[in-house]
Amino acid sequence: MVSRPHGGRLVLRVLEGRRRERLLSEAREMPSLEVGLERAIDAEDIARGAFSPLEGFMVEDEYLSVLDRMRLPNDLPWTIPVILDASKEELRGVSVGDDLLLKYNGRPLAIVTVEDVYGWDKRVHAEKVFKTRDPGHPGVEATYRRKDLLVGGRLELIDSPPNPLEKYTLWPLETRILFKERGWRRVVAFQTRNVPHLGHEYVQKAALTFTDGLLVQPLSGWKKKGDYRDEVIVEAYKALIEHYYPKNVVVLSVLRMNMFYAGPREAVHHAIVRKNFGATHFIVGRDHAGVGDYYGPYEAWEIFKQFPDLGITPLFVREAFYCRKCGGMVNEKICPHGPEHRVKISGTRIREMLRRGERPPEYMMRPEVAEVVLGHGNPFIE
Amino acid sequence: MSGDKVSIEISKDLYEKAKKFIEENGGFKSVEELVEFLLEEAIAAETGEGVAISPEDEEKVKERLRSLGYL
Ligand SMILES: [Zn+2]
C-alpha cells in the first residue's frame, strides 16, 4: 500500500451540496478579503489535502514553530510556512471567531474561520526560510511585498480557482485511489518545471526500476519569463510516455502549487506534499528548489538527515550525463571515465537550441519531445 | 496515541540501538514514540488507513479517473 497521509489523515475541506449552498448564502453577510492567485492556490492545496495535516492558514503558534524548528507544534515535520497576509485596512472590523470570505477575482473562493490575527517580521522570516535577507532572492523579494498582518484559521473551499489544466490535474484522494486500483505499493514521485530531456528520463527510469509506478508532476502556477509553458510541458511528457515508457507504469498529473525557491526547506516540503499524494519515494535533485548560488549544491540532500520521521523516502539521484566510452546515459556513481568522454545534458543549452528552432541531438532529447516544442510555435512564457 | 497504555517487551540490544538512533538523528522523544510511529506506519501501509471516504464518493472519483483516461 502507498504512503499514509502526513499526520495520519487526509484533509478534505471542499464544500459540497446543501452545506455549500447554505454557507454561500451566509457569505453575503461576512467580511471579505480579496486574494491573489498565489493565496487562492494555497487555499485549494489545503482544502484538497495536498498540505495535510494543515486544515487552514497557520496560526501564530504553528507559524513560529515551523519557522524556528521546521516542525508543527505537535513535532510533525513541516518546513514552509503557509500563511495568509492582509493589511490592517482590509481586516478592519474582522475579529477572532469571525468567518472571513476569501474572494478571488471577485468570486467566492473559501471561508476562513479566523482563529488568529498576528504580525510577522519579514526579515526574520526571510532569514529562516530562505537563509538570506537579500531582496535579490525571488522568494525574499516576494516576502517583502506581502502585507503586514497574518490571518490564521481553518478554511473550507467553495470553488477552485479557474484552472486551464483541470483535466490534467489530480488531487491526493484521486492519486491514492488510482494507485490502489493499479496495485502499486511503491510509488516514486518526480517534480518538474521542464520539458524532459534524456537526463530526466534516465533519473526517472532508474527510480522506476525498483518501484511499481512513477508519478510525474509538472508544477504549474507562477512562472517566470523564458519558462516553458505548462501545456508544452504536459504535451512533451505525453509524447515521452507514449513512445518510451511501458504502458501503465506512469501517471502524469499537474500540481498547482506555489514555488518559493527556498532550496533545502522547500525540498522537504515537496517530499511531504508527495507523501500526501501517496508516493513512497521522492526524487530530490541537486540544488532542488534552489536559485542562483544561495544554497550549497548538496544542502537540499543534507537537510533530510534531520527528518528520520518524514514517512517518505527521498531519493538522491545524481545528475545524468552521456558517456561516449560507456555508450549511454550514466552518472558519477557508475561511470569511471574522465570529462573528455562525457557530454553534459544541459537544460539551458537545449532551451537555447529550441528557441532558435533547432532540433537538439537525439542523445539529449527524444525527437518526439523536441517535435512537440518546435511544433508549438510559442512554447515559452514571454 | 492517547488513552490506555500497555507494556510490550523487546530485546535490550534493540532497545539500546533504538535509543542511540534517536540520540543521533532526533525526530523522536523516546523509544516508545519511535516504536509507535513505526508500527502505525506499517499497519497503515497495509490497510490504506488515513483516508475516510464513502463507497459512493470513491465511485465518483473512479468515474472521473475513467473519464480522464487514467483508469
Ligand atoms: Zn563512462
Side-chain angles (χ1 to χ4, degrees):
Chain A
M1 264 299 191
V2 297
S3 266
R4 197 157 78 119
H6 198 51
R9 194 178 58 82
L10 192 69
V11 169
L12 295 170
R13 301 186 66 82
V14 182
L15 286 168
E16 280 173 353
R18 283 228 186 102
R19 189 172 147 73
R20 179 179 174 280
E21 275 167 40
R22 182 167 63 75
L23 283 169
L24 199 51
S25 81
E26 285 175 16
R28 279 194 284 263
E29 313 291 322
M30 291 176 194
S32 68
L33 176 67
E34 175 74 26
V35 297
L37 180 60
E38 291 185 335
R39 296 298 78 72
I41 288 173
D42 282 342
E44 184 169 33
D45 287 344
I46 293 167
R48 296 193 186 277
F51 289 172
S52 300
L54 301 193
E55 297 187 313
F57 290 102
M58 290 179 173
V59 298
E60 190 170 22
D61 274 358
E62 293 169 322
Y63 171 67
L64 292 176
S65 176
V66 166
L67 211 56
D68 291 337
R69 310 193 300 129
M70 300 198 284
R71 289 174 181 273
L72 292 166
N74 66 1
D75 281 341
L76 200 65
W78 197 278
T79 50
I80 295 285
V82 179
I83 45 177
L84 173 62
D85 57 305
S87 69
K88 211 172 162 185
E89 294 71 47
E90 285 171 322
L91 293 180
R92 188 165 293 143
V94 177
S95 326
V96 169
D98 287 352
D99 282 337
L100 175 66
L101 174 67
L102 301 189
K103 290 182 173 176
Y104 174 63
N105 279 342
R107 296 173 56 85
L109 170 80
I111 294 169
V112 174
T113 302
V114 179
E115 288 162 40
D116 204 358
V117 178
Y118 55 104
W120 58 315
D121 187 329
K122 294 177 195 172
R123 291 165 59 84
V124 171
H125 178 105
E127 183 71 47
K128 301 245 181 185
V129 175
F130 302 104
K131 303 181 94 171
T132 173
R133 297 182 176 197
D134 176 8
H137 183 297
V140 175
E141 194 263 341
T143 300
Y144 290 169
R145 272 192 286 115
R146 293 179 74 173
K147 292 163 189 165
D148 291 335
L149 291 176
L150 299 179
V151 182
R154 305 205 301 169
L155 67 78
E156 289 183 284
L157 189 75
I158 298 169
D159 275 323
S160 298
N163 182 357
L165 293 174
E166 213 236 320
K167 68 174 178 155
Y168 293 110
T169 300
L170 297 181
W171 293 101
L173 181 62
E174 295 165 322
T175 53
R176 286 172 169 277
I177 290 173
L178 179 55
F179 299 158
K180 189 173 79 180
E181 287 298 301
R182 289 199 179 175
W184 293 0
R185 297 169 66 90
R186 292 196 292 181
V187 183
V188 59
F190 182 87
Q191 161 171 306
T192 183
R193 291 156 50 78
N194 275 303
V195 160
H197 57 54
L198 265 79
H200 301 125
E201 182 181 333
Y202 169 85
V203 166
Q204 290 166 11
K205 286 184 171 173
L208 196 45
T209 305
F210 62 89
T211 52
D212 302 315
L214 168 71
L215 171 65
V216 174
Q217 278 194 318
L219 211 58
S220 84
W222 185 81
K223 292 258 170 158
K224 60 180 192 298
K225 207 177 144 207
D227 284 350
Y228 291 104
R229 289 183 192 282
D230 290 335
E231 74 268 22
V232 174
I233 296 171
V234 169
E235 291 304 324
Y237 262 102
K238 279 168 70 180
L240 179 70
I241 292 164
E242 183 189 340
H243 294 283
Y244 297 95
Y245 285 76
K247 285 242 171 309
N248 295 326
V249 300
V250 189
V251 167
L252 171 67
S253 105
V254 171
L255 169 59
R256 198 151 59 150
M257 180 168 74
N258 294 308
M259 179 81 194
F260 302 97
Y261 300 100
R265 272 194 186 236
E266 198 158 17
V268 175
H269 180 62
H270 287 166
I272 292 171
V273 170
R274 275 33 183 249
K275 180 183 170 188
N276 284 327
F277 277 86
T280 52
H281 296 72
F282 178 62
I283 295 172
V284 185
R286 222 174 133 263
D287 197 26
H288 189 105
V291 60
D293 49 10
Y294 290 96
Y295 310 106
Y298 297 102
E299 258 188 88
W301 294 4
E302 294 286 324
I303 190 174
F304 281 89
K305 287 190 187 145
Q306 297 177 53
F307 301 100
D309 51 341
L310 204 58
I312 179 168
T313 306
L315 296 179
F316 308 123
V317 187
R318 288 168 170 76
E319 211 171 354
F321 49 83
Y322 183 83
C323 173
R324 291 200 192 89
K325 193 108 185 210
C326 290
M329 293 297 294
V330 287
N331 67 45
E332 236 7 281
K333 207 171 169 190
I334 55 175
C335 159
H337 306 116
E340 69 276 18
H341 300 289
R342 296 175 175 183
V343 185
K344 193 175 146 56
I345 312 292
S346 154
T348 313
R349 243 184 89 203
I350 292 174
R351 195 187 307 244
E352 280 163 17
M353 289 176 171
L354 292 167
R355 191 182 290 286
R356 289 195 298 266
E358 290 168 21
R359 183 187 286 269
E362 289 197 20
Y363 66 85
M364 287 189 183
M365 182 171 267
R366 301 290 189 185
E368 293 86 350
V369 172
E371 201 47 60
V372 168
V373 183
L374 293 170
H376 185 274
N378 193 10
F380 299 102
I381 308 269
E382 286 164 348
Chain B
M1 253 160 288
S2 55
D4 294 345
K5 297 265 179 182
V6 295
S7 301
I8 52 166
E9 293 191 349
I10 59 172
S11 74
K12 187 129 200 308
D13 272 5
L14 184 57
Y15 180 84
E16 293 300 334
K17 266 193 224 164
K19 216 171 130 195
K20 189 154 169 270
F21 173 82
I22 293 166
E23 279 160 19
E24 281 166 8
N25 296 286
F28 303 94
K29 286 202 190 80
S30 62
V31 175
E32 280 83 2
E33 209 180 281
L34 172 66
V35 169
E36 285 204 349
F37 172 80
L38 293 173
L39 282 177
E40 280 193 359
E41 290 291 313
I43 293 166
E46 290 309 312
T47 57
E49 184 200 299
V51 182
I53 177 177
S54 69
E56 299 83 63
D57 284 343
E58 179 160 342
E59 195 42 50
K60 257 195 264 172
V61 170
K62 284 185 191 162
E63 202 45 58
R64 175 165 195 262
L65 291 171
R66 277 191 284 267
S67 75
L68 296 177
Y70 285 100
L71 273 183

